[in-house]
Amino acid sequence: MTTAKEKSAIQERFKERMDEEELLNCMRCGFCLPSCPTYIESGFQESHSPRGRIALMKAVVDGVIEPDEDVERSLELCLGCRACEPVCPSGVNYGRLLEEARDIIQQNKKHPVPVRMLRSAVFKGLFPHQNRVRALTGMLGIYQRSGLQRAVRKSGILRMLPDHLAKMESVLPKVPDLKRLKNRPNRLPPIGRRKKRAAFFSGCLMDTLFLDTNMATIKLLQLSGCEIIIPETQACCGALHGHSGEKELAVQLAKRNIQAFENADADYIVTNAGGCGAFLKEYGHLLKDDPDWRERAKSFTAKLRDFSSVLLELDFEQKSLELPRQIVTYQDSCHLRNVMKTAAEPRRLLRSIKGIEFKEMKHADSCCGSAGIYNIVESDMSMKILDSKMEAAKATEAATIVTANPGCLLQMQLGIERAGLANQVRAVHLADLLLEAMTETN
């Protein structure tokens, strides 16, 4: 329960910090409504639409309403997928408004002690420290390899968890052993003639839980003629912090990453995770008021590319790619599409693979319901969105669902489990499928 004192402080910060010009840019036209998953799945509640949420923010700024639990709930339920932005005729930067509002609320209300401890452990104690992420992931690997996972599943303990969490445990990828996690190389030569130098953003979970996908991405870039540099001092992108009302921590991580990549002297800064890439792309906005970092942030974002864009630029689609005959469909990463503006490139790469029939999924550009940790903290809405997504996926009759973000990948794997399709359908990252197509021909 937010106290009167906290509400007053939140309202004052809204007046000081919210971009009123951006709020006024919203014409209330409603073009955003059909693109908003929470508006649709909530039964078309206006307060759960982008237009409705902007109206609530503006009303708080104007003092028309208090920033009460209903306002906070509306903002919490937003996926932050930003599907409303490409369809907005006024070009409203909704995602920036949402993150600013969430940060104001989180920084001006007092959480219960358990919540404060959990937020501190996750946002301050874990994700800014890659060695700790690696250690935690290593513990998951021990759980998987030691026989403990088998014993836990056999014991029935998982049945005490909500169904989606129990199934999520079953779709987690096999974690590489700790030695392999620690010994991932930081420099790799091109395979063949050197064309470009790429500095690779390795990420937190991507460089641990999805290390094989990172290595597949790196191999594809090498095959395309890239020399690879992986700066050792890089950190978490800060997306989880920025989306969860921890803006100052996100700023600190942004500065660490900019500094880490400045000395790489690279043609590209490459990412293979749509969520990370989108937040990295926002560093220019995040640091726009800091005269010491503003231009450095712009230089960083100017070099940022998704790996699929780099592969196409280096003519990777001209290579011999082939897979056994199958139907393949693609689920967009919201942030890759809506923020990094990368949607055609993955599809072009998929269509370049011989043997597959590419079928477009209905509403492939709508969110799958993963949205960082949304599928954990807002499980009911997330599962409604996922179940709708799986109906669209099933309609394609695809044997393989491809995506380009780790959260989306796990969410689609969870959807496959929930739909009882584990023996018929798989979900894979685009990089893994492309390398598989290369392997099949060599």
Side-chain angles (χ1 to χ4, degrees):
M1 183 71 71
T2 309
T3 67
K5 184 178 180 181
E6 289 168 346
K7 289 177 184 177
S8 177
I10 290 169
Q11 194 138 32
E12 284 303 311
R13 299 294 89 74
F14 260 68
K15 291 177 181 178
E16 292 172 6
R17 290 174 50 183
M18 294 302 294
D19 187 337
E20 192 161 8
E21 184 176 340
E22 195 73 77
L23 290 170
L24 289 169
N25 278 342
C26 177
M27 301 185 299
R28 314 288 190 264
C29 65
F31 276 93
C32 60
L33 300 182
S35 69
C36 179
T38 56
Y39 174 71
I40 294 166
E41 295 296 342
S42 68
F44 309 108
Q45 289 187 43
E46 181 71 15
S47 62
H48 295 324
S49 72
R51 179 177 71 178
R53 291 180 176 112
I54 289 174
L56 289 174
M57 295 178 208
K58 181 71 168 66
V60 172
V61 170
D62 292 342
V64 175
I65 63 172
E66 289 186 325
D68 58 14
E69 283 72 20
D70 290 339
V71 172
E72 185 175 351
R73 181 67 190 136
S74 174
L75 299 179
E76 283 177 348
L77 199 62
C78 181
L79 291 148
C81 68
R82 298 173 72 164
C84 51
E85 293 186 4
V87 299
C88 177
S90 300
V92 176
N93 288 299
Y94 171 80
R96 295 174 181 177
L97 291 172
L98 176 69
E99 289 180 4
E100 194 71 15
R102 283 177 169 173
D103 185 65
I104 292 168
I105 291 170
Q106 292 302 326
Q107 298 307 316
N108 289 279
K109 64 177 287 185
K110 189 174 182 180
H111 291 289
V113 172
V115 175
R116 288 207 306 272
M117 290 177 66
L118 180 60
R119 288 180 68 89
S120 179
V122 171
F123 296 126
K124 296 180 181 178
L126 179 60
F127 279 99
H129 309 281
Q130 185 63 3
N131 60 328
R132 297 177 188 176
V133 175
R134 192 178 295 121
L136 184 63
T137 312
M139 291 171 64
L140 175 60
I142 293 171
Y143 165 76
Q144 292 175 334
R145 292 187 295 271
S146 65
L148 182 59
Q149 184 180 50
R150 191 164 51 251
V152 166
R153 290 176 176 178
K154 192 174 180 180
S155 71
I157 292 174
L158 293 175
R159 286 196 292 272
M160 299 171 64
L161 296 173
D163 181 66
H164 75 287
L165 289 180
K167 283 188 168 66
M168 199 175 290
E169 188 272 351
S170 69
V171 302
L172 288 173
K174 298 298 180 186
V175 179
D177 62 63
L178 199 55
K179 182 179 179 181
R180 186 159 171 250
L181 290 175
K182 289 181 177 179
N183 293 335
R184 194 260 299 124
N186 292 312
R187 285 177 175 267
L188 297 101
I191 297 174
R193 182 174 65 87
R194 181 187 182 278
K195 298 178 183 177
K196 297 287 183 178
R197 192 179 207 199
F200 184 64
F201 184 82
S202 53
C204 302
L205 294 181
M206 286 304 300
D207 214 35
T208 50
L209 203 58
F210 295 93
L211 179 64
D212 288 338
T213 300
N214 262 7
M215 296 311 297
T217 306
I218 289 168
K219 185 69 176 288
L220 295 172
L221 292 167
Q222 288 179 279
L223 288 165
S224 300
C226 283
E227 175 190 1
I228 308 295
I229 306 296
I230 309 177
E232 294 183 58
T233 56
Q234 65 179 288
C236 169
C237 67
L240 184 62
H241 303 77
H243 301 330
S244 303
E246 296 288 346
K247 183 178 178 180
E248 187 50 45
L249 288 172
V251 167
Q252 293 174 22
L253 290 168
K255 291 178 179 179
R256 282 176 59 184
N257 282 320
I258 291 168
Q259 191 162 23
F261 280 84
E262 280 177 333
N263 296 326
D265 190 27
D267 299 296
Y268 311 112
I269 296 172
V270 183
T271 176
N272 62 354
C276 294
F279 201 75
L280 295 171
K281 195 74 175 175
E282 290 285 83
Y283 279 4
H285 173 73
L286 197 63
L287 296 167
K288 64 181 174 60
D289 296 323
D290 190 325
D292 294 329
W293 288 89
R294 186 188 304 125
E295 295 305 318
R296 295 169 73 178
K298 286 181 182 178
S299 297
F300 177 93
T301 57
K303 291 184 176 183
L304 190 66
R305 303 282 192 283
D306 181 69
F307 83 101
S308 61
S309 299
V310 175
L311 293 183
L312 285 177
E313 190 172 326
L314 299 177
D315 300 320
F316 183 83
E317 64 182 329
Q318 302 302 320
K319 294 186 180 295
S320 179
L321 303 170
E322 188 171 358
L323 285 171
R325 191 166 299 280
Q326 60 188 291
I327 296 173
V328 173
T329 193
Y330 179 71
Q331 165 61 28
D332 283 286
S333 156
C334 295
H335 288 116
L336 182 61
R337 183 186 186 95
N338 299 326
V339 182
M340 293 194 74
K341 312 301 182 188
T342 303
E345 293 87 341
R347 290 169 168 83
R348 275 182 58 185
L349 289 167
L350 288 172
R351 289 191 173 99
S352 72
I353 302 173
K354 295 177 183 176
I356 73 167
E357 177 186 353
F358 179 76
K359 276 192 179 181
E360 193 70 62
M361 187 195 311
K362 187 178 181 182
H363 302 310
D365 57 346
S366 69
C367 187
C368 64
S370 172
I373 58 171
Y374 187 94
N375 55 3
I376 297 174
V377 298
E378 298 290 349
S379 59
D380 288 346
M381 179 60 75
S382 176
M383 293 305 105
K384 285 180 183 178
I385 293 168
L386 177 58
D387 291 343
S388 296
K389 178 63 64 178
M390 287 310 301
E391 289 300 316
K394 281 192 288 185
T396 68
E397 300 181 329
T400 301
I401 302 171
V402 181
T403 189
N405 186 60
C408 302
L409 179 58
L410 287 178
Q411 184 81 338
M412 297 311 295
Q413 289 172 336
L414 177 59
I416 290 168
E417 286 287 330
R418 284 172 62 86
L421 298 173
N423 295 323
Q424 305 167 47
V425 182
R426 63 172 180 160
V428 298
H429 191 283
L430 176 62
D432 293 313
L433 190 73
L434 289 172
L435 188 61
E436 185 181 328
M438 286 287 297
T439 303
E440 292 285 336
T441 60
N442 291 297

